[in-house]
Amino acid sequence: MAVDYAVIVVYLAGMLAMGWWGMRRAKSKSEFLVAGRRLGPWMYSGTMAAIVLGGASTIGGVGLGYQYGLSGAWMVFTIGLGLLALSVFFSARIARLKVYTVSEMLDLRYGGRAGLISGVVMWAYTLMLAVTSTIAYATIFDVLFDMNRTVAIVLGGAIVVAYSTLGGMWSITLTDMVQFVVKTIGVLLLLLPIAVVKAGGFSEMKAQLSTEYFDPLGIGGETIFTYVLIYTFGMLIGQDIWQRVFTARSDRTARWGGTVAGTYCLVYAIAGAVIGTAAKVMYPKLPSADAAFATIVKDELPVGVRGLVLAAALAAVMSTSSGALIACATVANNDIWSRLRGAVAGGGAGGGGGDAEERDEVRGNRVFILIMGSAVILIAIALNNVVEALTVAYNLLVGGLLVPILGGLLWRRGTAAGALAAVSVGGVAVIGLMAGYGILANEPVLYGLLASFAVYVIVSLATKPTDAAVLSAWRERVAGRGAGEPDAPSREPATT
């Protein structure tokens, strides 16, 4: 394994080096949090695909293929569908808003009264997303080095926290591009064809497995519906996804670059399911479906290639983990701490200013990434059930925030009171229903979403319409004619 170890070590050292390089570019709040809003189509597509395709999409996607066959692609497939819907229908107007968080968008649309409570819900979601990604390091490092779970989480988490703290979104963008290339080569170009060949080809796979493994709906209609509800809708409103949309240099980049990334996700979904199906032929009696990825990599790939594919799995986890971490820290600082500090001080959090204030903004966001990253590592060490943690996160996100966010984008009559009621009722309903039905049940997010929708419509219609000046300012921002970038404009060129 010496060659494989060398590949992994070089990869990890490269991540830290890019963090150091990114630190030299991140001189303003805009550069630190949204890469100066200068990413072109190539980098935007790669980084967007990298963040949505994490450990669950790679290791978990192969595991679902092992368990259900080709229909195991549906989880990652619905993620791709959500990204396509976001890119085609909403990304252009989101990019034109020139904000940093989802809660800022809600404040603009509803008049400044919906941000804090929505920020708390979004913070909980991004925190748990970062935690579940961090836990996945234990699986990968165990395969690589037979490493203790706690040590693996601390090692993987520390590397992500280090490069994210140093350079913010610039470091994460650079590392995500490398991770995107590594995943493409490792999973699509190497592991996929090798797995199919080792299993004897598709004809042998069909001969060895039952027909259910090749039924595109074999995983079950109810499961597919739940995936759509949680992951497709979750892609539309997550801070980790929106923060990448904010990095696009134009609304055209956001639309077409996101469409390319969504299409890539669909291909990745099918590839993972095929690899898992091939693993079922080769290892029909594995103790756990999630062990399929590590087993086929460890036993079937040649030296060097094995290290690259394991680096691809590590890349998948790191891209999601770093994206969730900076989203969590951005929400904690900008939507929660700044508001609470402003309320105590009797005024709002400051706007853009001179160079000293810009440095303070960057320094403050660095501190929050370090604090949130440390909390994520500690929670990941203490937590065991990844699926339940991720389910809670997505249930809260979709049940509490989907309706007021999409309502704000699509329905002029929606009001701040309706949005606050929708967030509160949807969030409480989801939590209560999870306590009654169970965390992994389908009913909590469905009924919570329906309750949120009903309350949003009823309260909005029963209350005074949003002030005309607020709506006028909102329309100006959506059209790209409102307030410009709050930070000082950068003199550096856009990035391809």
Side-chain angles (χ1 to χ4, degrees):
M1 294 279 287
V3 176
D4 298 320
Y5 292 161
V7 172
I8 299 297
V9 170
V10 168
Y11 168 75
L12 294 176
M15 297 300 100
L16 292 174
M18 288 182 186
W20 183 263
W21 190 85
M23 181 177 67
R24 302 177 64 183
R25 297 194 67 165
K27 302 298 185 183
S28 69
K29 179 180 179 181
S30 173
E31 290 171 330
F32 190 82
L33 294 182
V34 291
R37 307 189 196 274
R38 295 201 305 276
L39 297 193
W42 164 238
M43 289 196 76
Y44 180 87
S45 298
T47 58
M48 183 62 87
I51 189 176
V52 300
L53 296 174
S57 300
T58 303
I59 299 171
V62 171
L64 287 171
Y66 182 88
Q67 188 173 0
Y68 297 105
L70 298 186
S71 66
W74 273 107
M75 183 186 77
V76 183
F77 204 84
T78 55
I79 290 173
L81 292 178
L83 188 51
L84 284 171
L86 173 71
S87 302
V88 172
F89 298 112
F90 302 110
S91 63
R93 68 183 78 178
I94 292 171
R96 288 194 292 263
L97 290 174
K98 303 296 184 188
V99 296
Y100 293 105
T101 68
V102 174
S103 295
E104 287 182 47
M105 166 263 165
L106 291 173
D107 277 352
L108 281 172
R109 169 59 181 82
Y110 294 113
R113 288 188 288 157
L116 182 58
I117 187 171
S118 64
V120 172
V121 174
M122 188 64 76
W123 173 79
Y125 156 72
T126 53
L127 179 70
M128 295 313 298
L129 184 62
V131 167
T132 56
S133 301
T134 303
I135 291 173
Y137 296 128
T139 302
I140 298 171
F141 281 109
D142 179 55
V143 174
L144 285 172
F145 308 115
D146 193 22
M147 186 178 291
N148 173 270
R149 178 181 184 274
T150 298
V151 175
I153 289 173
V154 171
L155 176 60
I159 292 171
V160 170
V161 171
Y163 72 69
S164 300
T165 302
L166 286 171
M169 187 60 83
W170 268 124
S171 294
I172 292 171
T173 296
L174 295 170
T175 55
D176 276 0
M177 278 306 299
V178 175
Q179 290 158 356
F180 170 73
V181 172
V182 170
K183 280 191 289 191
T184 301
I185 296 173
V187 175
L188 296 185
L189 302 183
L190 293 176
L191 184 57
L192 174 61
I194 290 174
V196 173
V197 170
K198 292 281 188 180
F202 286 105
S203 58
E204 183 64 20
M205 290 163 62
K206 287 185 177 180
Q208 293 286 335
L209 299 173
S210 62
T211 55
E212 287 81 4
Y213 269 81
F214 302 93
D215 180 358
L217 303 178
I219 199 170
E222 185 177 346
T223 299
I224 295 171
F225 176 73
T226 302
Y227 285 158
V228 170
L229 204 59
I230 293 178
Y231 296 114
T232 301
F233 287 154
M235 287 296 107
L236 298 179
I237 57 175
Q239 169 68 25
D240 52 324
I241 309 303
W242 277 41
Q243 199 156 343
R244 296 310 174 98
V245 176
F246 300 151
T247 67
R249 74 182 179 205
S250 67
D251 52 7
R252 182 179 177 84
T253 296
R255 182 184 295 114
W256 292 109
T259 301
V260 171
T263 304
Y264 179 91
C265 292
L266 303 184
V267 175
Y268 200 88
I270 296 170
V274 171
I275 292 168
T277 305
K280 184 67 175 179
V281 174
M282 291 182 278
Y283 309 100
K285 306 231 179 252
L286 286 178
S288 166
D290 284 341
F293 180 89
T295 303
I296 195 171
V297 169
K298 199 171 184 179
D299 292 351
E300 303 297 335
L301 298 187
V303 172
V305 173
R306 179 170 50 204
L308 183 60
V309 173
L310 286 172
L314 196 58
V317 176
M318 283 188 161
S319 57
T320 301
S321 180
S322 58
L325 176 59
I326 194 171
C328 178
T330 302
V331 171
N333 187 17
N334 291 268
D335 292 337
I336 300 176
W337 172 247
S338 292
R339 293 168 194 270
L340 294 176
R341 184 181 58 187
V344 171
D355 290 343
E357 189 169 351
E358 283 297 314
R359 286 194 294 270
D360 286 343
E361 287 273 18
V362 173
R363 189 182 303 114
N365 281 292
R366 277 200 176 104
V367 169
F368 266 87
I369 290 178
L370 188 59
I371 293 171
M372 292 297 107
S374 301
V376 163
I377 291 172
L378 292 174
I379 296 170
I381 291 171
L383 199 63
N384 285 319
N385 197 316
V386 180
V387 175
E388 289 192 358
L390 194 61
T391 302
V392 170
Y394 271 101
N395 282 356
L396 279 173
L397 177 71
V398 174
L401 291 179
L402 179 69
V403 169
I405 290 172
L406 293 190
L409 291 169
L410 299 173
W411 191 37
R412 184 182 179 192
R413 187 61 179 81
T415 66
L420 286 170
V423 174
S424 303
V425 171
V428 170
V430 163
I431 293 171
L433 290 166
M434 282 192 293
Y437 284 99
I439 290 176
L440 299 179
N442 297 326
E443 290 84 358
V445 66
L446 176 60
Y447 295 153
L449 190 57
L450 291 174
S452 179
F453 176 75
V455 168
Y456 179 73
V457 173
I458 292 170
V459 174
S460 291
L461 292 175
T463 52
K464 183 179 177 181
T466 303
D467 186 84
V470 172
L471 285 177
S472 177
W474 164 257
R475 285 194 295 269
E476 289 291 307
R477 290 290 284 269
V478 169
R481 297 190 298 268
E485 177 60 59
D487 289 329
S490 172
R491 295 179 178 86
E492 295 185 54
T495 304
T496 301

PDB file of all heavy atoms in Angstrom, residues 61-86:
ATOM      1  N   GLY A  61     -24.025   5.943  -2.380  1.00  0.00           N
ATOM      2  CA  GLY A  61     -24.622   5.617  -3.675  1.00  0.00           C
ATOM      3  C   GLY A  61     -24.238   4.231  -4.148  1.00  0.00           C
ATOM      4  O   GLY A  61     -25.065   3.483  -4.679  1.00  0.00           O
ATOM      5  N   VAL A  62     -22.972   3.848  -3.950  1.00  0.00           N
ATOM      6  CA  VAL A  62     -22.530   2.501  -4.296  1.00  0.00           C
ATOM      7  C   VAL A  62     -23.223   1.475  -3.388  1.00  0.00           C
ATOM      8  O   VAL A  62     -23.638   0.403  -3.845  1.00  0.00           O
ATOM      9  CB  VAL A  62     -20.995   2.385  -4.170  1.00  0.00           C
ATOM     10  CG1 VAL A  62     -20.541   0.932  -4.313  1.00  0.00           C
ATOM     11  CG2 VAL A  62     -20.318   3.253  -5.226  1.00  0.00           C
ATOM     12  N   GLY A  63     -23.383   1.829  -2.109  1.00  0.00           N
ATOM     13  CA  GLY A  63     -24.075   0.931  -1.186  1.00  0.00           C
ATOM     14  C   GLY A  63     -25.520   0.691  -1.583  1.00  0.00           C
ATOM     15  O   GLY A  63     -26.024  -0.442  -1.502  1.00  0.00           O
ATOM     16  N   LEU A  64     -26.207   1.729  -2.041  1.00  0.00           N
ATOM     17  CA  LEU A  64     -27.589   1.550  -2.497  1.00  0.00           C
ATOM     18  C   LEU A  64     -27.642   0.696  -3.762  1.00  0.00           C
ATOM     19  O   LEU A  64     -28.567  -0.100  -3.950  1.00  0.00           O
ATOM     20  CB  LEU A  64     -28.231   2.916  -2.755  1.00  0.00           C
ATOM     21  CG  LEU A  64     -28.593   3.737  -1.513  1.00  0.00           C
ATOM     22  CD1 LEU A  64     -29.019   5.145  -1.914  1.00  0.00           C
ATOM     23  CD2 LEU A  64     -29.705   3.056  -0.729  1.00  0.00           C
ATOM     24  N   GLY A  65     -26.641   0.856  -4.633  1.00  0.00           N
ATOM     25  CA  GLY A  65     -26.565   0.000  -5.812  1.00  0.00           C
ATOM     26  C   GLY A  65     -26.355  -1.453  -5.415  1.00  0.00           C
ATOM     27  O   GLY A  65     -26.928  -2.370  -6.023  1.00  0.00           O
ATOM     28  N   TYR A  66     -25.530  -1.695  -4.396  1.00  0.00           N
ATOM     29  CA  TYR A  66     -25.293  -3.060  -3.898  1.00  0.00           C
ATOM     30  C   TYR A  66     -26.585  -3.660  -3.351  1.00  0.00           C
ATOM     31  O   TYR A  66     -26.874  -4.842  -3.550  1.00  0.00           O
ATOM     32  CB  TYR A  66     -24.233  -3.016  -2.803  1.00  0.00           C
ATOM     33  CG  TYR A  66     -23.853  -4.370  -2.245  1.00  0.00           C
ATOM     34  CD1 TYR A  66     -22.839  -5.122  -2.835  1.00  0.00           C
ATOM     35  CD2 TYR A  66     -24.502  -4.899  -1.138  1.00  0.00           C
ATOM     36  CE1 TYR A  66     -22.493  -6.367  -2.339  1.00  0.00           C
ATOM     37  CE2 TYR A  66     -24.171  -6.140  -0.631  1.00  0.00           C
ATOM     38  CZ  TYR A  66     -23.158  -6.869  -1.234  1.00  0.00           C
ATOM     39  OH  TYR A  66     -22.825  -8.114  -0.729  1.00  0.00           O
ATOM     40  N   GLN A  67     -27.381  -2.834  -2.676  1.00  0.00           N
ATOM     41  CA  GLN A  67     -28.591  -3.332  -2.024  1.00  0.00           C
ATOM     42  C   GLN A  67     -29.777  -3.448  -2.976  1.00  0.00           C
ATOM     43  O   GLN A  67     -30.542  -4.417  -2.909  1.00  0.00           O
ATOM     44  CB  GLN A  67     -28.951  -2.400  -0.868  1.00  0.00           C
ATOM     45  CG  GLN A  67     -30.073  -2.893   0.028  1.00  0.00           C
ATOM     46  CD  GLN A  67     -30.255  -1.995   1.244  1.00  0.00           C
ATOM     47  OE1 GLN A  67     -29.541  -1.011   1.419  1.00  0.00           O
ATOM     48  NE2 GLN A  67     -31.211  -2.343   2.086  1.00  0.00           N
ATOM     49  N   TYR A  68     -29.941  -2.477  -3.886  1.00  0.00           N
ATOM     50  CA  TYR A  68     -31.149  -2.428  -4.712  1.00  0.00           C
ATOM     51  C   TYR A  68     -30.880  -2.541  -6.210  1.00  0.00           C
ATOM     52  O   TYR A  68     -31.820  -2.590  -7.010  1.00  0.00           O
ATOM     53  CB  TYR A  68     -31.907  -1.117  -4.462  1.00  0.00           C
ATOM     54  CG  TYR A  68     -32.400  -0.967  -3.058  1.00  0.00           C
ATOM     55  CD1 TYR A  68     -31.769  -0.103  -2.174  1.00  0.00           C
ATOM     56  CD2 TYR A  68     -33.505  -1.683  -2.597  1.00  0.00           C
ATOM     57  CE1 TYR A  68     -32.221   0.046  -0.864  1.00  0.00           C
ATOM     58  CE2 TYR A  68     -33.972  -1.544  -1.301  1.00  0.00           C
ATOM     59  CZ  TYR A  68     -33.317  -0.678  -0.435  1.00  0.00           C
ATOM     60  OH  TYR A  68     -33.763  -0.537   0.849  1.00  0.00           O
ATOM     61  N   GLY A  69     -29.621  -2.530  -6.638  1.00  0.00           N
ATOM     62  CA  GLY A  69     -29.335  -2.569  -8.062  1.00  0.00           C
ATOM     63  C   GLY A  69     -29.394  -1.188  -8.682  1.00  0.00           C
ATOM     64  O   GLY A  69     -29.130  -0.175  -8.039  1.00  0.00           O
ATOM     65  N   LEU A  70     -29.792  -1.128  -9.947  1.00  0.00           N
ATOM     66  CA  LEU A  70     -29.785   0.135 -10.681  1.00  0.00           C
ATOM     67  C   LEU A  70     -30.698   1.188 -10.062  1.00  0.00           C
ATOM     68  O   LEU A  70     -30.429   2.389 -10.161  1.00  0.00           O
ATOM     69  CB  LEU A  70     -30.179  -0.108 -12.136  1.00  0.00           C
ATOM     70  CG  LEU A  70     -29.251  -1.022 -12.944  1.00  0.00           C
ATOM     71  CD1 LEU A  70     -29.679  -1.066 -14.406  1.00  0.00           C
ATOM     72  CD2 LEU A  70     -27.796  -0.564 -12.832  1.00  0.00           C
ATOM     73  N   SER A  71     -31.767   0.763  -9.402  1.00  0.00           N
ATOM     74  CA  SER A  71     -32.673   1.732  -8.784  1.00  0.00           C
ATOM     75  C   SER A  71     -32.033   2.410  -7.574  1.00  0.00           C
ATOM     76  O   SER A  71     -32.565   3.398  -7.061  1.00  0.00           O
ATOM     77  CB  SER A  71     -33.986   1.068  -8.369  1.00  0.00           C
ATOM     78  OG  SER A  71     -33.779   0.129  -7.325  1.00  0.00           O
ATOM     79  N   GLY A  72     -30.886   1.905  -7.124  1.00  0.00           N
ATOM     80  CA  GLY A  72     -30.157   2.578  -6.059  1.00  0.00           C
ATOM     81  C   GLY A  72     -29.630   3.935  -6.475  1.00  0.00           C
ATOM     82  O   GLY A  72     -29.150   4.706  -5.636  1.00  0.00           O
ATOM     83  N   ALA A  73     -29.714   4.238  -7.769  1.00  0.00           N
ATOM     84  CA  ALA A  73     -29.261   5.545  -8.267  1.00  0.00           C
ATOM     85  C   ALA A  73     -30.191   6.679  -7.862  1.00  0.00           C
ATOM     86  O   ALA A  73     -29.811   7.857  -7.977  1.00  0.00           O
ATOM     87  CB  ALA A  73     -29.142   5.508  -9.792  1.00  0.00           C
ATOM     88  N   TRP A  74     -31.390   6.375  -7.384  1.00  0.00           N
ATOM     89  CA  TRP A  74     -32.398   7.412  -7.208  1.00  0.00           C
ATOM     90  C   TRP A  74     -32.012   8.481  -6.203  1.00  0.00           C
ATOM     91  O   TRP A  74     -32.343   9.657  -6.392  1.00  0.00           O
ATOM     92  CB  TRP A  74     -33.748   6.788  -6.824  1.00  0.00           C
ATOM     93  CG  TRP A  74     -34.548   6.396  -8.013  1.00  0.00           C
ATOM     94  CD1 TRP A  74     -34.790   5.135  -8.481  1.00  0.00           C
ATOM     95  CD2 TRP A  74     -35.203   7.285  -8.936  1.00  0.00           C
ATOM     96  NE1 TRP A  74     -35.550   5.172  -9.622  1.00  0.00           N
ATOM     97  CE2 TRP A  74     -35.820   6.475  -9.924  1.00  0.00           C
ATOM     98  CE3 TRP A  74     -35.317   8.667  -9.020  1.00  0.00           C
ATOM     99  CZ2 TRP A  74     -36.550   7.031 -10.974  1.00  0.00           C
ATOM    100  CZ3 TRP A  74     -36.037   9.214 -10.064  1.00  0.00           C
ATOM    101  CH2 TRP A  74     -36.643   8.398 -11.027  1.00  0.00           C
ATOM    102  N   MET A  75     -31.316   8.131  -5.136  1.00  0.00           N
ATOM    103  CA  MET A  75     -30.966   9.153  -4.150  1.00  0.00           C
ATOM    104  C   MET A  75     -30.112  10.253  -4.794  1.00  0.00           C
ATOM    105  O   MET A  75     -30.428  11.448  -4.705  1.00  0.00           O
ATOM    106  CB  MET A  75     -30.214   8.545  -2.966  1.00  0.00           C
ATOM    107  CG  MET A  75     -29.908   9.583  -1.881  1.00  0.00           C
ATOM    108  SD  MET A  75     -28.877   8.969  -0.545  1.00  0.00           S
ATOM    109  CE  MET A  75     -27.256   8.978  -1.325  1.00  0.00           C
ATOM    110  N   VAL A  76     -29.015   9.855  -5.449  1.00  0.00           N
ATOM    111  CA  VAL A  76     -28.142  10.844  -6.083  1.00  0.00           C
ATOM    112  C   VAL A  76     -28.833  11.470  -7.296  1.00  0.00           C
ATOM    113  O   VAL A  76     -28.625  12.644  -7.606  1.00  0.00           O
ATOM    114  CB  VAL A  76     -26.811  10.181  -6.484  1.00  0.00           C
ATOM    115  CG1 VAL A  76     -25.854  11.212  -7.083  1.00  0.00           C
ATOM    116  CG2 VAL A  76     -26.157   9.521  -5.269  1.00  0.00           C
ATOM    117  N   PHE A  77     -29.664  10.700  -7.975  1.00  0.00           N
ATOM    118  CA  PHE A  77     -30.389  11.209  -9.140  1.00  0.00           C
ATOM    119  C   PHE A  77     -31.301  12.371  -8.740  1.00  0.00           C
ATOM    120  O   PHE A  77     -31.380  13.382  -9.451  1.00  0.00           O
ATOM    121  CB  PHE A  77     -31.211  10.078  -9.765  1.00  0.00           C
ATOM    122  CG  PHE A  77     -31.522  10.283 -11.220  1.00  0.00           C
ATOM    123  CD1 PHE A  77     -30.607   9.923 -12.198  1.00  0.00           C
ATOM    124  CD2 PHE A  77     -32.729  10.830 -11.619  1.00  0.00           C
ATOM    125  CE1 PHE A  77     -30.887  10.111 -13.548  1.00  0.00           C
ATOM    126  CE2 PHE A  77     -33.019  11.026 -12.962  1.00  0.00           C
ATOM    127  CZ  PHE A  77     -32.095  10.660 -13.931  1.00  0.00           C
ATOM    128  N   THR A  78     -31.982  12.248  -7.591  1.00  0.00           N
ATOM    129  CA  THR A  78     -32.868  13.332  -7.151  1.00  0.00           C
ATOM    130  C   THR A  78     -32.067  14.566  -6.736  1.00  0.00           C
ATOM    131  O   THR A  78     -32.559  15.692  -6.850  1.00  0.00           O
ATOM    132  CB  THR A  78     -33.774  12.881  -5.994  1.00  0.00           C
ATOM    133  OG1 THR A  78     -32.975  12.368  -4.916  1.00  0.00           O
ATOM    134  CG2 THR A  78     -34.750  11.813  -6.449  1.00  0.00           C
ATOM    135  N   ILE A  79     -30.844  14.364  -6.255  1.00  0.00           N
ATOM    136  CA  ILE A  79     -29.967  15.505  -5.986  1.00  0.00           C
ATOM    137  C   ILE A  79     -29.670  16.250  -7.287  1.00  0.00           C
ATOM    138  O   ILE A  79     -29.730  17.480  -7.350  1.00  0.00           O
ATOM    139  CB  ILE A  79     -28.660  15.030  -5.318  1.00  0.00           C
ATOM    140  CG1 ILE A  79     -28.941  14.554  -3.887  1.00  0.00           C
ATOM    141  CG2 ILE A  79     -27.613  16.143  -5.305  1.00  0.00           C
ATOM    142  CD1 ILE A  79     -27.741  13.919  -3.201  1.00  0.00           C
ATOM    143  N   GLY A  80     -29.360  15.491  -8.349  1.00  0.00           N
ATOM    144  CA  GLY A  80     -29.124  16.099  -9.654  1.00  0.00           C
ATOM    145  C   GLY A  80     -30.345  16.829 -10.185  1.00  0.00           C
ATOM    146  O   GLY A  80     -30.236  17.929 -10.747  1.00  0.00           O
ATOM    147  N   LEU A  81     -31.532  16.233  -9.997  1.00  0.00           N
ATOM    148  CA  LEU A  81     -32.763  16.884 -10.444  1.00  0.00           C
ATOM    149  C   LEU A  81     -32.985  18.203  -9.707  1.00  0.00           C
ATOM    150  O   LEU A  81     -33.404  19.203 -10.310  1.00  0.00           O
ATOM    151  CB  LEU A  81     -33.956  15.948 -10.218  1.00  0.00           C
ATOM    152  CG  LEU A  81     -34.011  14.686 -11.078  1.00  0.00           C
ATOM    153  CD1 LEU A  81     -35.227  13.836 -10.687  1.00  0.00           C
ATOM    154  CD2 LEU A  81     -34.065  15.033 -12.559  1.00  0.00           C
ATOM    155  N   GLY A  82     -32.705  18.211  -8.403  1.00  0.00           N
ATOM    156  CA  GLY A  82     -32.855  19.436  -7.629  1.00  0.00           C
ATOM    157  C   GLY A  82     -31.909  20.519  -8.102  1.00  0.00           C
ATOM    158  O   GLY A  82     -32.287  21.700  -8.211  1.00  0.00           O
ATOM    159  N   LEU A  83     -30.675  20.137  -8.406  1.00  0.00           N
ATOM    160  CA  LEU A  83     -29.697  21.109  -8.893  1.00  0.00           C
ATOM    161  C   LEU A  83     -30.093  21.641 -10.265  1.00  0.00           C
ATOM    162  O   LEU A  83     -29.932  22.840 -10.553  1.00  0.00           O
ATOM    163  CB  LEU A  83     -28.315  20.453  -8.946  1.00  0.00           C
ATOM    164  CG  LEU A  83     -27.129  21.368  -9.254  1.00  0.00           C
ATOM    165  CD1 LEU A  83     -27.114  22.579  -8.339  1.00  0.00           C
ATOM    166  CD2 LEU A  83     -25.823  20.594  -9.121  1.00  0.00           C
ATOM    167  N   LEU A  84     -30.636  20.782 -11.114  1.00  0.00           N
ATOM    168  CA  LEU A  84     -31.116  21.238 -12.423  1.00  0.00           C
ATOM    169  C   LEU A  84     -32.275  22.219 -12.264  1.00  0.00           C
ATOM    170  O   LEU A  84     -32.321  23.259 -12.943  1.00  0.00           O
ATOM    171  CB  LEU A  84     -31.556  20.031 -13.254  1.00  0.00           C
ATOM    172  CG  LEU A  84     -30.439  19.178 -13.868  1.00  0.00           C
ATOM    173  CD1 LEU A  84     -31.021  17.909 -14.477  1.00  0.00           C
ATOM    174  CD2 LEU A  84     -29.670  19.962 -14.915  1.00  0.00           C
ATOM    175  N   ALA A  85     -33.220  21.902 -11.372  1.00  0.00           N
ATOM    176  CA  ALA A  85     -34.363  22.794 -11.155  1.00  0.00           C
ATOM    177  C   ALA A  85     -33.899  24.143 -10.615  1.00  0.00           C
ATOM    178  O   ALA A  85     -34.370  25.204 -11.056  1.00  0.00           O
ATOM    179  CB  ALA A  85     -35.352  22.143 -10.186  1.00  0.00           C
ATOM    180  N   LEU A  86     -32.969  24.117  -9.651  1.00  0.00           N
ATOM    181  CA  LEU A  86     -32.442  25.358  -9.107  1.00  0.00           C
ATOM    182  C   LEU A  86     -31.777  26.190 -10.192  1.00  0.00           C
ATOM    183  O   LEU A  86     -31.998  27.413 -10.299  1.00  0.00           O
ATOM    184  CB  LEU A  86     -31.433  25.046  -7.999  1.00  0.00           C
ATOM    185  CG  LEU A  86     -30.661  26.243  -7.426  1.00  0.00           C
ATOM    186  CD1 LEU A  86     -31.592  27.117  -6.588  1.00  0.00           C
ATOM    187  CD2 LEU A  86     -29.469  25.791  -6.601  1.00  0.00           C
TER     188      LEU A  86
END
